Amino acid sequence: MHIVVCIKQVPKTLDVRVDPVTHNLIRQGMESIINMFDENALEEALLLREKFGGKVSVISMGPPQVREALRKALAMGADEAYLLCDRALGGADVLATAYTLAQGIKKLQPVDLILCGRHAVDADTGQVGPELAERLGWPQVTLVKRLECDGNKITAWRECEEGTAVWELPLPAVVTVGKEINKPRYPTPIGIIRSGKKPITVWEAKDLDVDEDKIGLAGSPTRVTRLFSPERTSHVEMLTGKAEEVARLLVAKLEEHKIQL
Amino acid sequence: MHDIWVVTELVGKDLAPVSLQLLGQARQLADQTGDKVIAVAMGHEIMPMAQELIEHGADEVLVADHPELTYYRTLPYARILGELIQEKKPNVVLMGATSQGRDLAPRVAARIQTGLTADCLELSINKDGLLVQTKPSYGDNVMVDIVIPEHRPQMATVRPNVFPQPERICGRKGKVTSVPVSLQPDDLKTVVKEIIAEEQQASRLEEADVVVCGGRGMGSKENFEQLYALADALGGVVGATRPPADEGWIDPAFQIGQSGKMVAPKLFIACGVSGAVQFTVGMEKSKIVVAINKDASAPIFNFATYGIVGDTREIIPALLQEITTAKESKTGSRKECN
Ligand SMILES: Cc1cc2nc3c(=O)[nH]c(=O)nc-3n(C[C@H](O)[C@H](O)[C@H](O)COP(=O)(O)OP(=O)(O)OC[C@H]3O[C@@H](n4cnc5c(N)ncnc54)[C@H](O)[C@@H]3O)c2cc1C
Ligand SMILES: Nc1ncnc2c1ncn2[C@@H]1O[C@H](COP(=O)(O)O)[C@@H](O)[C@H]1O
């Protein structure tokens, strides 16, 4: 079984602010980590490999420093790592990212299963997995909290408004997972040493069969027009009075904040 | 064509609240520009829903009714919606940021090759007539405005409960169009084996818009019942600090904090919680925090937007009463038409 895990590198702390003058993001420290849910995706892939054999490849699109995240994935136990890295890929939104990843993954065929995180904690869209599935023409299941596989088909317990929906679908498929699905392992010292010998293959745009209009900024239909920090009340406002009075005051405040009652 | 489409969904047999909320917002936007609001309803035996959608603001309802659409599955729904969009070319397509919308919207956006903004909190029209989609990122620390200048339709998913439910206008007139359903064998590869209904689920805790959290100060398992009533009234989920989880007042899966779940809802209500750091790391990203504690010097007040010094056994029932009153007086509450 060949499983591909899509990994995104994200900032370690989400405590970012927008500079009111320059409108640029101010990040407290620039440390990066693997998007939490992508570690769950990798763990699930490693568990499936333990059961069925085969190989786990990790792939990421991003700047050169993403090697660090890929290195960690190799240390956790992935067999091969691929980085799609090129200035021409910069500025990609979901549509362009999913297209580029799909073109990269096509070079890794045959692939039986693609695992993604349910969403990336920085941009927070959760759209790359389904858009990738569409590009490949494969079935998908998202927001998965439990997965079973018999080698040909998967059974997935997915979150839905009623509770849980149990879906069965044939491979190949794209699955996005949440953190209930497993507890990601830590890299072992042996794993870290071994990972040093595993190569990270870097592909530039010219190495991929990509259409120039479909990658990077040119291939991205969405445009960010403004970036700002939401207003926050930093000091507590005490509501005083008898129980009925404070209840009334509070409900009025909640309505001001557009909380649906 | 400048139509605004709302792709509606069902929860069980009822229209999802977010679908009605979106119809209300779409109506407002369409009235500014003189455009039409079209609801898309997919499912089985859903014709009776059409009039309800019209009475909540739709000018036309496109109904795709077929036994294969009984339960949501990506591919049949994407087939129908994708083909309808290609045929009728709406300007805007909106969906709820629900488990269904988050699955379906990107599949369709990639099929049509257009832009999609996830999890919007605000929608408006700018001077160029473009839909401005405001979404949070970095765990709600930053807000971004996004437009889709050239591709059509402009697609967005919108978080539940950011727009009020519109008033239902009984007898409002609109057009109901039944659309043909033709599916390909490949669309039916996925089989829905089972839907397991769960009332309160721990996995929902992390996404809930409202979290009602009880601490040791709630005093007993019986008193926790009040929290469930409050959570129900607000459409939220109950969580807890560690002591109630240790005491067996609640399943430990609902514990919030360093050794529990991380939550960041729009509204977090802490009842009888002291505010230890191991707890607050799990909730400090919440937008509005209400703290109810009888000790005015409890650290939780430092994390609160609104603080109430008092006994939870008095405050919570009063709050429940007040919410019920507010709901009843609200025009947006669900109304029956005959
Ligand atoms: C390694 C480690 C990990 C931990 N992880 C977690 C974690 O993940 N989550 C977590 O929650 N804790 C965690 N803890 C425990 C944490 O330190 C606190 O002990 C715990 O959060 C306290 O819970 P509490 O606020 O409910 O209880 P208390 O600290 O006992 O506070 C109860 C509060 O209720 C108020 N009160 C009492 N009666 C009433 C009433 N009738 N009306 C109104 N107010 C009333 C009191 O004034 C008091 O402030 C951890 C601790 C350690 C050491
Ligand atoms: N640049 C990227 N490279 C590789 N995988 C990605 C990338 N962006 C997103 N993904 C995958 O898609 C998931 C959802 O991301 P998003 O749609 O950005 O929220 C992530 O958890 C990753 O598995």
Side-chain angles (χ1 to χ4, degrees), chain B residues 59-95:
Chain B
D59 297 304
E60 183 178 356
V61 186
L62 303 174
V63 183
D65 197 309
H66 193 278
E68 293 286 6
L69 303 177
T70 304
Y71 299 109
Y72 171 72
R73 285 183 286 176
T74 317
L75 297 178
Y77 276 59
R79 164 82 53 197
I80 292 165
L81 185 59
E83 286 177 0
L84 276 176
I85 291 173
Q86 266 151 347
E87 181 198 329
K88 298 183 187 279
K89 307 205 179 323
N91 188 31
V92 170
V93 175
L94 306 175
M95 285 184 222

Side-chain angles (χ1 to χ4, degrees), chain A residues 6-8 35 37-38 59-62 94 97 101 115-120 123-129:
Chain A
C6 297
I7 282 183
K8 189 178 185 191
N35 181 44
F37 303 110
D38 303 357
I59 188 168
S60 187
M61 181 184 95
V94 174
T97 301
L101 286 172
L115 291 168
C116 295
R118 57 172 291 160
H119 65 254
D124 204 350
T125 85
Q127 294 171 176
V128 167

Side-chain angles (χ1 to χ4, degrees), chain A residues 174-185:
Chain A
V174 176
V175 178
T176 81
V177 306
K179 85 176 214 196
E180 310 82 8
I181 196 163
N182 56 39
K183 272 217 171 353
R185 67 195 65 190

